[in-house]
Amino acid sequence: MSDFYDQLETRSPDQREAELFAALPAQIAHARANAPYFARLLADVDPASIRDRAALSRLPVTRKSDLIALQKDAPPFGGLAAIAIGQLARVFASPGPIHDPEPHGKDPWRSARALYASGIRGGDLVQNCFAYHLTPAGSMFETGAHALGAAVIPAGTGNTEMQAQVIAQLKPKAYIGTPDFLKIILEKGDELGLDVSSLKVGHVAGGPFLPDARAFYEGRGINVYQSYGTADLGIVAYETPARAGLVVEEGAIIEIVRPGTGDPVPEGEVGEVVVTIFNPAYPLVRFATGDLSAVLPGQSPCGRTNMRLKGWMGRADQTTKVKGMFVHPQQVAEVVRRHPQVAKARLVVGRQDANDTMTLRCEAAESGEALASSLRETLASVTKLKGTVEFVAPGTLPNDGKVIDDTRT
């Protein structure tokens, strides 16, 4: 049996890039023609010209954090959907609330590839412990399991004792759910004296998969893997048996950008995950997730050739209040944009003598009072708040994706 879901996973990087960007102009044209939001956002864009990453990077981003307001103004999907609500298979209401559409079709959330990499195959029985009500995770992974030919126990969340009893009675091979809930079920099974040893595979998402949880499952003989995705996009990247980062899903184009901007960062630098997908019903173009990650160099030892992410590394939206006023990452980016001498900057927010303070730490090849004075003026102009400027050597600021570092306790 193949280690790979299909031949797409082992394409050469050049072939993959060429095929994705050959298909992208039609997807952008579709979004512009059928989704009112993208018709406005991309009105001046020639879809035929978006044929490489440089061209894509010049398009505006759409931020997940803006969806609530967009959907409130233009319900139910803020004008981002390209088909009518009655043509969808399901409509979800995630916390926010944010409404998420599910189209008809096989594996609409693209989770089958991730489940396959975890070891789930046709003919397996899996216990799906993601929620089935209002939020999409339950359906997201059930449709992927069905695409593989696996049968699903729609267990949902909670009911720990019943979950353990179902495992003991039906003997599923695989668990799908959050990283911590499987441990709770197994321990409940132990407490009740139930045989829950049929579980050999796990696929988890929706929370951090910490080393102590990994060690616990390995001790029980269960191979557990994780994936990263969102309720808007579906699966974005997934872990493989190599356990060397998360391999990007074949139906997505990933960019890592400096928080507060749409500007791609160099490989290895931490930034915000921006995703473009080929979903005809919900054609998200340059969708800024608000999550931080970084690209790992090279290819996965498992043989899959797509880009790899380090995994979830925090939140990109570092907006904070200083002296009662909001300061946004976009504002820090604007300060840097106005001063080409500055390669990178971080706004450190602190507290001194019961007062909020701001220090703009800048990596710059040159420094001096003239540049510092100009930066202070720009910082005050952009944020409406006064701050100090501190120069540091290039490469000094940590590679953690932080644009605003709020050090106040």
Side-chain angles (χ1 to χ4, degrees), residues 107-328:
D107 193 23
W109 302 95
R110 306 178 319 283
S111 67
R113 189 181 305 280
L115 297 178
Y116 190 93
S118 297
I120 297 173
R121 299 290 186 270
D124 288 342
L125 178 63
V126 301
Q127 188 149 329
N128 186 3
C129 294
F130 276 116
Y132 275 78
H133 299 107
L134 292 180
T135 58
S139 180
M140 185 180 298
F141 288 100
E142 178 172 285
T143 51
H146 285 166
L148 295 177
V152 176
I153 303 167
T157 59
N159 302 307
T160 308
E161 184 171 326
M162 183 176 290
Q163 299 269 12
Q165 291 172 345
V166 167
I167 294 171
Q169 293 165 359
L170 297 182
K171 309 294 183 186
K173 171 187 171 181
Y175 161 91
I176 299 173
T178 57
D180 297 334
F181 191 42
L182 174 56
K183 183 175 186 289
I184 295 171
I185 295 173
L186 294 173
E187 290 176 338
K188 176 59 71 172
D190 295 343
E191 177 188 323
L192 299 174
L194 299 173
D195 180 7
V196 291
S197 63
S198 67
L199 290 178
K200 301 300 180 186
V201 173
H203 186 91
V204 299
F209 187 23
L210 300 175
D212 59 344
R214 285 185 182 273
F216 176 84
Y217 297 136
E218 289 172 1
R220 302 282 300 228
I222 307 173
N223 291 317
V224 180
Y225 301 89
Q226 64 179 321
S227 62
Y228 161 66
T230 76
D232 327 273
L233 297 161
I235 300 303
V236 172
Y238 59 94
E239 193 174 21
T240 76
R243 298 196 183 280
L246 305 182
V247 176
V248 170
E249 215 286 320
E250 295 294 329
I253 297 174
I254 306 297
E255 302 169 273
I256 305 295
V257 308
R258 186 155 288 116
T261 77
D263 302 331
V265 300
E267 182 178 288
E269 184 172 326
V270 178
E272 184 175 9
V273 179
V274 170
V275 185
T276 298
I277 56 172
F278 293 83
N279 181 344
Y282 205 43
L284 299 179
V285 177
R286 299 207 83 203
F287 186 77
T289 63
D291 295 323
L292 294 175
S293 192
V295 174
L296 286 169
Q299 296 177 6
S300 173
C302 72
R304 292 171 177 83
T305 57
N306 207 345
M307 175 193 294
R308 292 179 297 153
L309 302 181
K310 286 187 177 181
W312 186 84
M313 300 178 69
R315 293 293 297 167
D317 186 3
Q318 299 148 24
T319 297
T320 191
K321 269 190 174 181
V322 180
K323 298 180 181 179
M325 295 182 63
F326 282 109
V327 179
H328 304 275

Side-chain angles (χ1 to χ4, degrees), residues 57-135:
S57 71
R58 291 191 287 270
L59 299 184
V61 298
T62 296
R63 301 190 180 283
K64 182 180 176 75
S65 57
D66 293 336
L67 285 185
I68 295 175
L70 287 170
Q71 293 188 354
K72 183 178 180 181
D73 290 343
F77 303 118
L80 280 74
I83 63 175
I85 191 168
Q87 297 176 293
L88 296 167
R90 296 180 179 89
V91 177
F92 297 98
S94 296
I98 295 175
H99 305 122
D100 303 303
E102 179 185 297
H104 290 280
K106 180 180 178 180
D107 193 23
W109 302 95
R110 306 178 319 283
S111 67
R113 189 181 305 280
L115 297 178
Y116 190 93
S118 297
I120 297 173
R121 299 290 186 270
D124 288 342
L125 178 63
V126 301
Q127 188 149 329
N128 186 3
C129 294
F130 276 116
Y132 275 78
H133 299 107
L134 292 180
T135 58

